[in-house]
Amino acid sequence: MGATQFLERPGGRLAYEVRGQGPLVICSPGLGDLRSTFDDLVEPLVAAGFTVAITDLRGHGESSAHWPSYTETDVASDLLGLAETLDAGPAVLLGNSYSAAAAVIAAANEPSLVAGLVLTGPFVRDQPASLVSAFGRWLITRRWIGRRVWNGYWARLFGPQKPADLARRRRLLAANLAEPGRFDAVRAMLRSGHHTADQALPDVTCPTLVVMGDADPDFSNPENEARYAAERIGGPAEVLIVRGAGHYPHAECPDCVAATAVRFLQTLCFNSPTTP
């Protein structure tokens, strides 16, 4: 991977790295996760002729730990700020979960900076909560036990097709979230809703690819959720359902997601590269 760089933002600094040369794709993970979630997706995108920037969320990974707020709109602003800093033309925003919602808001707010969206496991609207899920969410947001609950819950978000190095990823994530202030970001993001992203969907006019694992435990019906997002988006949208994948299809089945993402990216109307 490339060397870690930092982008100064109001309230903190974002860690990111860049590889490749060509049209810009910015990858951003879900809450309570690290930018390394995209490790297996970067190489196919770079090989296809794209510049790929992967960033840690505010409060996560190598980004600074203490920020004044952690809303999806804040993350959208961070993604747009990185796109402007890299100055490689309109970017494709590839966001997972919480970052998928932020990418939607970014595309709606600044369409001139966003050429397209790839949304994996997107949380773009509030989900009905059962008593069990509501209690689990409450536990995760508790200071005294939340981090341990999240570490266990995170591993269960993967479907049957788990990455071979899942145990290593889990150890790295647990160590990062144990650093002072980091789990505060997770707690804050979990407490915020997705109303802004839901309202922004019709204002997105760029092409969008929605990627959903059919075994995603965060949704009662993952396929319906993917189609809801695609149908509400104002621009052209398509859906990829990854069989046997959970909430992180880009990490669980990177070859499948990369093949569809590369084809999608090359159809966008902005100096699309040709596959070598």
Side-chain angles (χ1 to χ4, degrees), residues 136-268:
R137 193 180 187 91
W138 179 84
L139 278 178
I140 290 171
T141 58
R142 299 304 95 189
R143 289 186 180 275
W144 45 277
I145 197 174
R147 180 165 53 84
R148 293 183 181 181
V149 175
W150 173 256
N151 289 337
Y153 178 67
W154 175 84
R156 292 181 175 87
L157 289 172
F158 291 84
Q161 302 185 80
K162 295 176 175 60
D165 62 346
L166 181 61
R168 181 188 66 85
R169 295 186 188 212
R170 186 178 180 182
R171 288 195 300 271
L172 292 174
L173 178 61
N176 183 256
L177 294 180
E179 295 176 4
R182 298 224 176 268
F183 199 70
D184 290 340
V186 178
R187 293 170 61 246
M189 289 178 179
L190 281 170
R191 287 188 175 126
S192 66
H194 306 288
H195 177 74
T196 301
D198 195 8
Q199 293 300 109
L201 285 169
D203 296 326
V204 173
T205 57
C206 62
T208 301
L209 171 64
V210 180
V211 182
M212 188 75 78
D214 71 345
D216 190 335
D218 265 341
F219 304 101
S220 59
N221 191 321
E223 294 188 39
N224 282 353
E225 194 63 24
R227 293 190 177 92
Y228 171 86
E231 290 169 3
R232 266 186 58 80
I233 283 174
E238 60 180 280
V239 172
L240 169 65
I241 302 298
V242 183
R243 303 300 172 187
H247 197 54
Y248 306 104
H250 58 277
E252 297 168 67
C253 191
D255 292 342
C256 169
V257 174
T260 301
V262 166
R263 189 264 312 155
F264 170 78
L265 293 171
Q266 291 176 338
T267 65
L268 297 181

Side-chain angles (χ1 to χ4, degrees), residues 11-86:
R13 66 177 189 168
L14 291 177
Y16 69 97
E17 56 191 91
V18 181
R19 285 191 59 197
Q21 189 170 17
L24 177 62
V25 180
I26 297 177
C27 301
S28 182
L31 66 84
D33 205 357
L34 306 176
R35 70 179 192 264
S36 55
T37 187
F38 297 109
D39 280 357
D40 294 331
L41 192 64
V42 171
E43 186 57 40
L45 297 182
V46 170
F50 294 91
T51 296
V52 182
I54 55 174
T55 181
D56 282 318
L57 288 172
R58 51 175 59 200
H60 295 63
E62 293 183 90
S63 294
S64 55
H66 302 282
W67 295 70
S69 63
Y70 301 91
T71 67
E72 291 171 343
T73 301
D74 293 329
V75 176
S77 178
D78 292 339
L79 297 176
L80 293 171
L82 182 56
E84 290 181 309
T85 296
L86 295 176

